[in-house]
Amino acid sequence: MGAASFSETVNLRAFLQNPPTAIFSSGENFDSISYFGFNKRHIHPVIFRSRISSHGKSKLFYSDGWHHKLRTTLLSTTGDSRETSTDVLDDGDDASRRSEVIGYDEDELLATRNALAEARARQEAIEKERDLLLEELARSEAKQQEYVATIMRDKEVAIAELEAAKALFNQKLEQSVEEKFSLESKLVLAKQDAVELAVQVERLAEIAFQQATSHILEDAKLKVSAAETAAAEAAYQVEEQIRQATEGTIVSIVEQSKDAIEKALAVAEIAGDQSAKAIAVFTDDMSPLDEIASIQSQNFKLQNDINDLKSQLLVSSNEINKLQLELEQARHRCSAFELQASDAEKALLEFQESSKKAALQQEEEVKSLLEKIKKDAAERKRAASKAFKVEMEAIKAATEAAKEAARSQNEAYTKRCDALQRSLRASEAASKMWRERAGTAEALLMNQTSPSDEDESALYVVNGGRLDLLMDKDSQKWKLLGDGPRREIPEWMARRIRSIFPKFPPRKTDVQEAVTSKFISLDLPKLDEVWSIAQEMPKQGDTLVEHVLEKEVIEKKRKVLEHALQRKTIKWQRTPEEKKLEPGTGTGREIVFQGFNWESWRRRWYLDLAAKATDLSRSGITAVWLPPPTESVAPQGYMPSDLYNLNSAYGSVEELKHCINEMHNQDLLALGDVVLNHRCAHKQSPNGIWNIFGGKLAWGPEAIVCDDPNFQGRGNPSSGDIFHAAPNIDHSQDFVRRDIKEWLNWLRNDIGFDGWRLDFVRGFAGEYVKEYIEASNPAFAIGEYWDSLSYEGGNLCYNQDAHRQRIINWINATGGISSAFDVTTKGILHSALHNQYWRLIDPQGKPTGVMGWWPSRAVTFLENHDTGSTQGHWPFPRDKLTQGYAYILTHPGTPVIFYDHFYDFGLREIITELIESRTRAGIHCRSPVKIYHANNDGYVAQIGDTLVLKLGYIDWNPFKEVHLDGSWQKFVDKGSDYQLWLRQ
């Protein structure tokens, strides 16, 4: 083997780039490292052994996997010379196995690797330094931009000061001119003095202007120059550091690479010399007999291997025969399975045919049953239609009789008018005759002739014109009878005229008329609705169950119709307590309607809502809560800016007034949503903070609380929670409270609002609310005190006394002249209506929530624009809405109805019926509540004296209750949802 072939086997560059995996072992005098390397031509293990020399250096040796006797070669170096001493030790009996060994210095190899690692580390450090320098450059640029911004702000301040100086100059000049004209008439010298004074003022103004602007411009120039020099120095330093770092790294890398190359060449020369020596030793010691013996031993091994392979082949052939037998058995089984599958398919086909025949028979039977049911339904329909026609004919006959009576009374009235006119004419003719007789008598007495037509006016003058006023055909009375009244008939006269008609119960047009009247209307369904219910029949359903269910629904509708037709009117008069109006809390019988949702601003909402005023009034609603009217940064209105600008996303100020007028025409209160806690600024302060307000109320930072972290207020600390989205107003300032009072009175008197819904009252103390209500005197006021309820492990706690106590504390702070939303009742209803009705009674037997402790100040609700609508922060369970409204509309407090539920969720008729039951029973905000049952199955309570409510699946009716006296009639029956009874 030559030196060239051996050098191919050991590739130094590949070894340096990809060092082999090492396995370390230790002996008595040697530290051995075994590597597994790869040759270009053959894959064989490579073994290196090292020994620590006297100088602390170790040598590595290479051993190829030739077929020779294993030998161990020991190398050692002494002094500075590179001479190598070799000792060969025999480890076995086989003389044909020899070993070839090469060695090189390990420390030099590790040094080169460490140098490369350090170079890489330095390069990474240099890259990090470069990144840091780039960041510093970016920071310097940002600082330069900040300097430019400060310079621009200083320029704006300078311009403002210039304008102020000019204004001062003009003001002083005007004053001097006025003084000049006033003194001109007195002394000429004074005139000259005034001129000189004006010149001096101009000079002073110029000097002041120069002094005011010079130092600002100088400071600005200095700041600009400083910023430019700082930026230039920073850029120069960055460039210089980058250049020095790159030059140093390049030089160091070049020097290190040169050293590594020189060391590698030296190692390669040493390895070549050692390989040549080893080859020479190997060729001298190897003999051809040894080679022949080694070849024979290899042949024996190969024959043994062949015999082993033959035995394995026989074993594998036997296994193959076994597998073939198993395969044939599996084929027989498969054929048997196929026969069974064919038999199963035949049986399946037979079963399908039999099932089809049975299905056809069942279909025929069902069709026959359906035909019978259709015939029965048709016969019942005919009978019902005949009975209904008879009833309708009776009703028509009654209405025709009433019309005939009215017609006869009209004819009698016209006859009376004709008789009156004839009597008037007869009386006028008689009076004329008596006038003529009186004239003749007077003429005879005065020895004069009978008066002619020309002197008739003189006679009337003598009589004072009284006869002309009463009896002339052109008199005022005759004009009233012939032409009618000159103005609109007053209400009292209209009622007097209507009194001659039959006294049927009048149909109410609005709630005010229903309240003031002594009758309550029948509110019967229209003819179209009656005929639609009478003619309604079950649909042709696919199953008998659906048919029966539809039939039950239709029967329920017909029973409700019969109940409505048989319902009679009752007399009801308002008591003095019902007419009493308390400041901020109304009469106690209000039913509030929230007339908007979170997306209402997308339309001309005031016009849409105004068109619904009549419908709301007829439904029994007494007050409408309108959206925030002021100009706002957010379109919903809860980020107000200019309080006196009422042109909002909901419409213009004219449309707002039109909407309020429509509400007033239907006797509805208009409640305005006012945001008093915060207000959005119009301008930035010199330091870039939005805390300068515009419009009529041009406040500054002194109107903002000092503990607001975002807007640098200079007022007093806040008396409540901080609203972080806008500046929080400091209500402790006298000028702030004075401006808010004037604004509220302007909304009351000029715009037409009747009351307030106060937004986010947790942000300021209730004492200020009391002051605002006393100043504006609203008919009704509601505070939004939204606080979190108590929960344990994600479940609502039963005891919520702390929550409702916080709301009542706020109401007490207002002096009790404002109501508050009963958030406690809403949160409890979320869980109670899911078969946890025991939550609706507290340990004292009272309703939970603010309703149980202070019902006249509790405003109950299920949903609003925050909890529901498109925000959905705390939505009420949709399948429990009917139960929720049955609870709040029959219990004390002031209920609120949400717009979406009334018009979008299809609950209008249900809510109207519940309002009617509240009105019939006379429920108000102070009505007493007596709870009979509250458990998992349901809830039963008596409200007032004439109404009982049942919620849930509990089996109960008034006849089962011992403590209920009197006779009760079921008014509303919604099954397991709720039932209402009224005392007869």
Side-chain angles (χ1 to χ4, degrees):
M1 183 182 292
S5 62
F6 190 83
S7 63
E8 288 180 358
T9 306
V10 181
N11 192 343
L12 180 61
R13 182 177 296 174
F15 180 78
L16 290 175
Q17 291 179 355
N18 297 315
T21 305
I23 301 173
F24 294 87
S25 61
S26 60
E28 184 178 358
N29 295 322
F30 302 94
D31 290 337
S32 63
I33 306 173
S34 300
Y35 289 86
F36 295 94
F38 297 97
N39 195 354
K40 288 184 179 179
R41 298 177 181 177
H42 305 283
I43 299 174
H44 50 272
V46 181
I47 299 173
F48 294 89
R49 295 181 182 272
S50 62
R51 180 179 181 182
I52 300 173
S53 63
S54 60
H55 295 284
K57 295 182 179 181
S58 62
K59 297 293 182 177
L60 297 179
F61 305 96
Y62 175 84
S63 176
D64 199 351
W66 296 312
H67 297 284
H68 56 77
K69 185 177 181 181
L70 181 62
R71 296 190 180 194
T72 302
T73 304
L74 304 178
L75 302 179
S76 63
T77 57
T78 57
D80 296 333
S81 64
R82 295 289 182 177
E83 296 178 359
T84 303
S85 61
T86 304
D87 296 329
V88 180
L89 301 176
D90 293 335
D91 293 333
D93 297 332
D94 193 357
S96 63
R97 298 184 179 223
R98 307 293 297 271
S99 64
E100 182 182 11
V101 182
I102 63 171
Y104 58 94
D105 193 356
E106 182 185 12
D107 291 340
E108 292 176 355
L109 179 62
L110 293 174
T112 55
R113 291 178 64 186
N114 291 330
L116 289 173
E118 289 177 358
R120 290 177 182 174
R122 288 178 184 176
Q123 187 175 2
E124 290 177 357
I126 291 165
E127 289 178 357
K128 289 181 181 178
E129 290 178 358
R130 183 183 65 185
D131 294 335
L132 293 173
L133 293 173
L134 290 173
E135 290 178 359
E136 290 179 359
L137 181 61
R139 290 174 186 172
S140 64
E141 290 177 356
K143 289 182 180 179
Q144 186 176 3
Q145 291 179 358
E146 291 179 357
Y147 290 150
V148 172
T150 53
I151 291 164
M152 294 300 293
R153 287 198 294 269
D154 292 336
K155 283 184 179 179
E156 291 179 356
V157 173
I159 291 169
E161 291 179 358
L162 289 173
E163 291 178 355
K166 286 182 181 179
L168 181 63
F169 168 74
N170 292 326
Q171 185 178 1
K172 289 183 178 180
L173 183 61
E174 289 176 358
Q175 291 176 359
S176 64
V177 171
E178 289 176 358
E179 291 176 357
K180 181 183 70 175
F181 283 108
S182 63
L183 297 174
E184 187 176 3
S185 60
K186 294 181 180 180
L187 292 171
V188 178
L189 295 174
K191 181 178 178 181
Q192 294 177 355
D193 294 335
V195 172
E196 291 177 358
L197 181 62
V199 173
Q200 291 177 2
V201 168
E202 289 180 355
R203 291 178 180 175
L204 290 173
E206 291 177 356
I207 291 168
F209 177 78
Q210 291 177 0
Q211 289 178 356
T213 57
S214 61
H215 70 279
I216 295 171
L217 293 174
E218 288 176 0
D219 292 338
K221 289 179 181 178
L222 290 174
K223 288 180 180 179
V224 171
S225 61
E228 291 177 352
T229 53
E233 289 176 359
Y236 178 76
Q237 290 177 359
V238 169
E239 292 176 357
E240 193 70 17
Q241 291 177 359
I242 291 171
R243 184 178 59 78
Q244 291 177 2
T246 52
E247 289 178 357
T249 52
I250 291 169
V251 170
S252 62
I253 289 168
V254 170
E255 291 177 355
Q256 291 174 1
S257 60
K258 286 181 179 179
D259 295 334
I261 291 167
E262 290 176 356
K263 291 178 181 179
L265 291 173
V267 170
E269 290 176 356
I270 293 168
D273 296 333
Q274 290 177 358
S275 62
K277 293 179 181 179
I279 289 166
V281 171
F282 179 77
T283 52
D284 292 336
D285 296 336
M286 195 71 177
S287 63
L289 294 174
D290 294 336
E291 290 179 358
I292 292 167
S294 63
I295 290 167
Q296 287 178 355
S297 63
Q298 290 178 1
N299 290 329
F300 286 122
K301 288 181 179 180
L302 288 174
Q303 286 180 358
N304 293 328
D305 293 336
I306 290 166
N307 293 327
D308 293 335
L309 290 173
K310 286 180 180 180
S311 62
Q312 291 177 1
L313 183 60
L314 291 173
V315 172
S316 60
S317 63
N318 293 327
E319 290 178 354
I320 289 168
N321 293 327
K322 290 180 181 179
L323 291 173
Q324 286 178 354
L325 292 173
E326 291 178 356
L327 182 61
E328 289 178 356
Q329 292 176 359
R331 286 177 180 175
H332 291 300
R333 291 175 185 174
C334 288
S335 61
F337 288 148
E338 287 178 356
L339 293 173
Q340 290 178 1
S342 63
D343 296 335
E345 287 179 356
K346 291 178 182 179
L348 180 62
L349 292 173
E350 292 176 356
F351 177 73
Q352 287 177 353
E353 290 178 357
S354 62
S355 62
K356 284 180 180 179
K357 291 179 181 179
L360 291 174
Q361 291 178 358
Q362 289 179 358
E363 286 179 359
E364 290 177 356
E365 292 176 358
V366 170
K367 286 180 181 179
S368 62
L369 288 174
L370 289 175
E371 288 177 356
K372 290 180 181 180
I373 292 169
K374 288 178 182 178
K375 290 179 181 179
D376 295 337
E379 291 177 357
R380 291 180 182 177
K381 178 184 175 183
R382 290 171 187 171
S385 62
K386 287 180 181 179
F388 189 74
K389 286 179 181 178
V390 171
E391 292 178 359
M392 290 302 297
E393 287 176 358
I395 293 171
K396 288 180 181 179
T399 54
E400 287 177 358
K403 289 180 181 178
E404 288 293 334
R407 194 178 300 112
S408 62
Q409 288 183 357
N410 286 329
E411 290 177 357
Y413 180 72
T414 55
K415 289 179 180 178
R416 287 176 61 188
C417 290
D418 293 339
L420 181 60
Q421 289 178 2
R422 287 194 298 272
S423 63
L424 285 173
R425 290 171 186 172
S427 63
E428 287 177 356
S431 63
K432 186 176 183 181
M433 182 182 66
W434 283 107
R435 279 201 305 269
E436 291 176 355
R437 289 180 181 180
T440 55
E442 187 178 3
L444 290 171
L445 291 173
M446 296 178 66
N447 294 323
Q448 293 180 1
T449 60
S450 61
S452 61
D453 294 336
E454 296 176 356
D455 298 330
E456 190 175 1
S457 61
L459 180 63
Y460 294 155
V461 172
V462 173
N463 291 330
R466 187 178 299 275
L467 293 174
D468 182 43
L469 177 63
L470 293 176
M471 301 301 177
D472 191 18
K473 291 184 179 180
D474 296 331
S475 64
Q476 296 294 329
K477 190 172 183 180
W478 184 259
K479 287 183 179 179
L480 288 174
L481 291 173
D483 301 335
R486 296 182 180 178
R487 56 188 179 138
E488 188 177 0
I489 299 175
E491 184 64 26
W492 63 270
M493 186 180 294
R495 287 198 299 270
R496 187 63 178 269
I497 293 171
R498 288 196 297 268
S499 64
I500 64 173
F501 289 92
K503 294 185 178 180
F504 288 112
R507 183 175 178 82
K508 307 304 181 298
T509 58
D510 54 17
V511 174
Q512 186 64 27
E513 184 182 351
V515 172
T516 56
S517 176
K518 64 181 179 180
F519 292 105
I520 294 179
S521 64
L522 289 175
D523 196 11
L524 297 177
K526 298 179 181 179
L527 291 177
D528 296 337
E529 296 176 357
V530 173
W531 281 110
S532 64
I533 295 172
Q535 294 179 354
E536 190 171 0
M537 62 178 294
K539 298 178 182 178
Q540 298 297 329
D542 295 334
T543 60
L544 186 62
V545 177
E546 293 181 359
H547 181 80
V548 172
L549 292 175
E550 289 181 359
K551 184 178 178 181
E552 291 178 355
V553 171
I554 293 169
E555 290 299 328
K556 284 184 179 180
K557 288 183 180 179
R558 289 175 180 168
K559 287 181 181 178
V560 171
L561 176 61
E562 291 176 0
H563 180 67
L565 291 173
Q566 294 174 0
R567 194 180 303 167
K568 297 180 179 179
T569 60
I570 60 173
K571 291 186 177 181
W572 176 71
Q573 294 181 354
R574 298 183 68 187
T575 61
E577 293 181 355
E578 297 170 359
K579 298 179 182 179
K580 185 179 179 181
L581 185 68
E582 296 183 3
T585 56
T587 63
R589 299 181 182 272
E590 279 75 19
I591 299 175
V592 182
F593 177 78
Q594 183 178 357
F596 65 99
N597 56 29
W598 193 250
E599 303 298 330
S600 299
W601 61 273
R602 299 183 184 277
R603 294 185 287 173
R604 300 180 66 181
W605 192 249
Y606 291 143
L607 298 180
D608 292 347
L609 190 61
K612 294 181 173 62
T614 304
D615 181 55
L616 294 174
S617 178
R618 288 180 179 177
S619 299
I621 291 166
T622 63
V624 178
W625 163 18
L626 300 178
T630 56
E631 177 194 14
S632 173
V633 174
Q636 290 80 13
Y638 290 98
M639 299 288 284
S641 53
D642 187 1
L643 299 182
Y644 280 91
N645 184 2
L646 301 187
N647 295 315
S648 64
Y650 299 100
S652 63
V653 62
E654 291 79 10
E655 294 173 352
L656 173 61
K657 289 182 178 179
H658 168 70
C659 181
I660 294 175
N661 290 332
E662 288 296 319
M663 299 298 167
H664 290 167
N665 292 336
Q666 299 297 328
D667 295 325
L668 296 173
L669 297 177
L671 305 181
D673 199 333
V674 292
V675 183
L676 304 180
N677 175 75
H678 51 273
R679 182 185 172 195
C680 294
H682 292 74
K683 298 179 182 178
Q684 289 178 303
S685 63
N687 54 357
I689 303 299
W690 291 89
N691 56 11
I692 299 176
F693 303 97
K696 186 175 179 180
L697 304 181
W699 300 337
E702 65 277 359
I704 304 173
V705 296
C706 61
D707 51 354
D708 191 330
N710 301 319
F711 298 98
Q712 297 182 2
R714 295 201 295 267
N716 296 319
S718 176
S719 57
D721 297 340
I722 296 295
F723 182 78
H724 295 281
N728 288 254
I729 302 303
D730 182 13
H731 293 269
S732 65
Q733 302 289 343
D734 294 335
F735 73 92
V736 170
R737 296 200 305 277
R738 182 182 65 252
D739 291 344
I740 290 177
K741 292 174 189 176
E742 291 179 358
W743 177 62
L744 291 175
N745 283 313
W746 175 72
L747 292 177
R748 279 280 277 133
N749 301 324
D750 294 356
I751 306 302
F753 283 108
D754 302 300
W756 317 121
R757 182 264 182 186
L758 303 168
D759 181 71
F760 196 72
V761 294
R762 287 179 57 185
F764 54 101
E767 291 81 1
Y768 303 127
V769 175
K770 177 183 178 182
E771 189 174 349
Y772 297 147
I773 292 176
E774 289 176 347
S776 59
N777 193 23
F780 199 82
I782 314 170
E784 185 209 15
Y785 195 94
W786 189 352
D787 198 2
S788 298
L789 279 75
S790 300
Y791 292 88
E792 288 182 0
N795 296 321
L796 184 71
C797 297
Y798 169 71
N799 189 353
Q800 297 293 335
D801 291 348
H803 185 268
R804 57 177 172 176
Q805 185 63 53
R806 289 193 292 270
I807 299 176
I808 287 177
N809 291 340
W810 180 85
I811 299 173
N812 278 323
T814 66
I817 61 176
S818 175
S819 302
F821 286 109
D822 193 352
V823 183
T824 314
T825 296
K826 170 182 166 56
I828 292 172
L829 283 175
H830 276 251
S831 300
L833 298 182
H834 289 87
N835 298 331
Q836 297 179 8
Y837 299 99
W838 46 268
R839 294 182 179 273
L840 298 178
I841 183 172
D842 64 3
Q844 290 76 34
K846 297 180 180 180
T848 51
V850 182
M851 181 199 304
W853 283 358
W854 203 347
S856 63
R857 302 299 184 267
V859 178
T860 55
F861 71 105
L862 302 181
E863 208 86 285
N864 59 28
H865 58 284
D866 288 323
T867 63
S869 189
T870 55
Q871 292 200 99
H873 293 317
W874 194 21
F876 198 83
R878 189 160 183 176
D879 58 335
K880 301 298 180 182
L881 283 173
T882 55
Q883 285 193 24
Y885 275 115
Y887 182 82
I888 67 173
L889 287 173
T890 57
H891 277 65
T894 302
V896 179
I897 300 165
F898 187 40
Y899 179 91
D900 293 358
H901 299 163
F902 195 76
Y903 283 113
D904 296 339
F905 284 20
L907 301 179
R908 180 181 176 279
E909 299 299 330
I910 294 174
I911 293 173
T912 304
E913 189 176 39
L914 291 170
I915 293 174
E916 183 183 358
S917 66
R918 183 183 182 90
T919 306
R920 283 178 174 273
I923 304 299
H924 52 83
C925 68
R926 297 176 180 85
S927 295
V929 179
K930 185 176 182 181
I931 301 174
Y932 292 109
H933 302 281
N935 49 38
N936 289 332
D937 296 331
Y939 169 86
V940 178
Q942 178 183 352
I943 304 94
D945 296 329
T946 59
L947 188 142
V948 172
L949 167 70
K950 180 183 81 71
L951 299 175
Y953 298 91
I954 186 171
D955 185 12
W956 185 91
N957 60 65
F959 305 104
K960 295 183 178 181
E961 194 66 43
V962 179
H963 304 288
L964 278 176
D965 298 330
S967 60
W968 296 82
Q969 182 180 4
K970 187 178 288 185
F971 184 71
V972 179
D973 186 1
K974 297 295 182 182
S976 60
D977 286 343
Y978 62 91
Q979 293 177 349
L980 294 177
W981 287 268
L982 291 177
R983 187 194 297 270
Q984 290 184 350

